[in-house]
Amino acid sequence: MSQLIDGKQISKQIKDELKEEVQRLGALGRTACLAVVQVGNDPASSVYVNNKKKACEYIGIGSRSYELPEETTEDELVSLVEELNRDDEVNGILVQLPLPAHIDEDRIIRTISPDKDVDGFHPVSVGRLWIGEKGFLSCTPAGIIQLLKRSGIDICGKECVVIGRSNIVGKPMAALLLRENGTVTVAHSRTENLQDVTKRADILIVAIGKKKFITSEYVKEGAVVIDVGMHRDENNHLCGDVDFNDVEPHTSAITPVPGGVGPMTIAMLMNNCVETIRT
Ligand code: GUN
């Protein structure tokens, strides 16, 4: 029987732990506030932003919301971020991505102070991660490490294969698995003989962005499979990058979609917000 890794339950557990910690820190006069910035009104982004604000409320973190029109210029957005950098009442700044095409995302990410970079996207945060210094961790990969640890899955010495090399998931995922003493391979769209590579994995992290791409032919018997994908299938149901029904019988543990990795991203964002008020 494969273990179903319940991201909803684990994220709830983390949020409840954070809620208690925030109460304790509040009694010492330390409070956190997250500024959430959205440009335009992409419906998917609006859902994510609302969920982030609700999570803040649940845990007891203040939140401030900046909803800017689609036509906002890059310079206007830079000015707002600089203002939030200077604002002592704001501990964390989150600019929801993607931004409209006329705005350079890299410039905006670099403008956020590394001390308030709760997404962990600033080059300083990325550098700290790779050299093993304390800093903000990218939320989705950090959430996956928590899923593994809290499900009793050992990473040390294991063959870990990450499919996908994005700055938000694949690359920081590789760094975090390495930090946990995994043996890490990063595969991607140009990888030759992908099945040979993925079949080596004790732990397979799939962030390939293609609906139900990973079938049982890609998976070693007894592997742990973590699915970062989020798509709609032919029946309009949510599904991942992994063909769950085909792969699940061959795994020792697997995440579902929805209810696997998804809920962990917000839990880890909340953890980064609380981190700003830990000493
Ligand atoms: N858009 C999709 N995921 C994320 C995320 O983790 N952070 C931000 N800022 N934008 C996103």
Side-chain angles (χ1 to χ4, degrees):
M1 258 295 265
S2 177
Q3 175 188 0
L4 190 69
I5 300 176
D6 186 345
K8 252 171 101 170
Q9 190 245 319
I10 296 173
S11 78
K12 168 85 165 51
Q13 186 184 40
I14 291 172
K15 284 190 282 189
D16 285 339
E17 290 168 9
L18 291 171
K19 188 175 180 165
E20 244 187 74
E21 193 179 356
V22 164
Q23 275 169 4
R24 250 187 301 120
L25 291 167
L28 302 172
R30 296 215 288 271
T31 55
C33 176
L34 172 68
V36 181
V37 183
Q38 183 181 0
V39 183
N41 44 19
D42 171 62
S45 289
S46 299
V47 171
Y48 290 134
V49 162
N50 268 327
N51 287 340
K52 288 168 187 177
K53 289 190 282 199
K54 272 196 263 176
C56 283
E57 201 174 321
Y58 180 75
I59 288 167
I61 295 171
S63 72
R64 277 205 222 157
S65 189
Y66 296 85
E67 286 160 28
L68 308 181
E70 180 84 18
E71 314 76 66
T72 304
T73 66
E74 190 176 301
D75 285 343
E76 284 168 339
L77 185 55
V78 165
S79 297
L80 171 63
V81 171
E82 285 173 344
E83 195 185 302
L84 294 170
N85 282 343
R86 288 190 298 267
D87 189 332
D88 289 339
E89 282 173 17
V90 170
N91 308 74
I93 302 170
L94 183 139
V95 179
Q96 186 65 27
L97 306 178
L99 289 166
H102 65 274
I103 298 179
D104 176 0
E105 279 184 3
D106 283 341
R107 181 173 171 217
I108 303 304
I109 288 170
R110 282 166 193 271
T111 303
I112 297 172
S113 161
D115 295 333
K116 300 190 178 186
D117 176 36
V118 286
D119 259 327
F121 293 164
H122 192 286
V124 167
S125 302
V126 176
R128 284 179 178 155
L129 164 62
W130 279 99
I131 63 175
E133 254 182 32
K134 213 164 153 7
F136 292 112
L137 302 177
S138 192
C139 301
T140 300
I144 291 170
I145 297 292
Q146 285 300 312
L147 281 180
L148 294 170
K149 286 190 169 175
R150 290 174 186 247
S151 302
I153 295 160
D154 204 15
I155 302 167
C156 181
K158 294 292 189 296
E159 286 279 353
C160 305
V161 175
V162 180
I163 322 180
R165 54 174 158 177
S166 70
N167 289 337
I168 292 181
V169 181
K171 286 180 203 162
M173 188 74 252
L176 284 175
L177 289 165
L178 194 56
R179 207 172 72 166
E180 298 294 332
N181 300 309
T183 302
V184 182
T185 303
V186 181
H188 46 79
S189 54
R190 304 283 181 89
T191 297
E192 291 181 1
N193 306 318
L194 181 61
Q195 283 191 16
D196 294 344
V197 176
T198 58
K199 278 222 149 192
R200 292 206 304 263
D202 300 311
I203 299 173
L204 180 62
I205 315 273
V206 188
I208 199 169
K210 291 182 189 160
K211 191 188 303 187
K212 298 188 188 180
F213 182 87
I214 295 297
T215 55
S216 54
E217 293 90 76
Y218 287 83
V219 177
K220 178 168 83 173
E221 205 62 33
V224 173
V225 176
I226 305 290
D227 189 351
V228 185
M230 179 67 86
H231 314 274
R232 293 263 170 199
D233 71 8
E234 50 289 354
N235 303 315
N236 207 31
H237 293 148
L238 290 172
C239 68
D241 291 351
V242 175
D243 185 340
F244 184 91
N245 291 335
D246 185 43
V247 168
E248 188 265 353
H250 301 277
T251 61
S252 59
I254 186 167
T255 56
V257 175
V261 172
M264 295 302 293
T265 302
I266 289 189
M268 300 319 289
L269 173 68
M270 295 297 107
N271 181 61
N272 281 347
C273 291
V274 176
E275 180 63 26
T276 64
I277 51 170
R278 296 179 181 126
T279 46

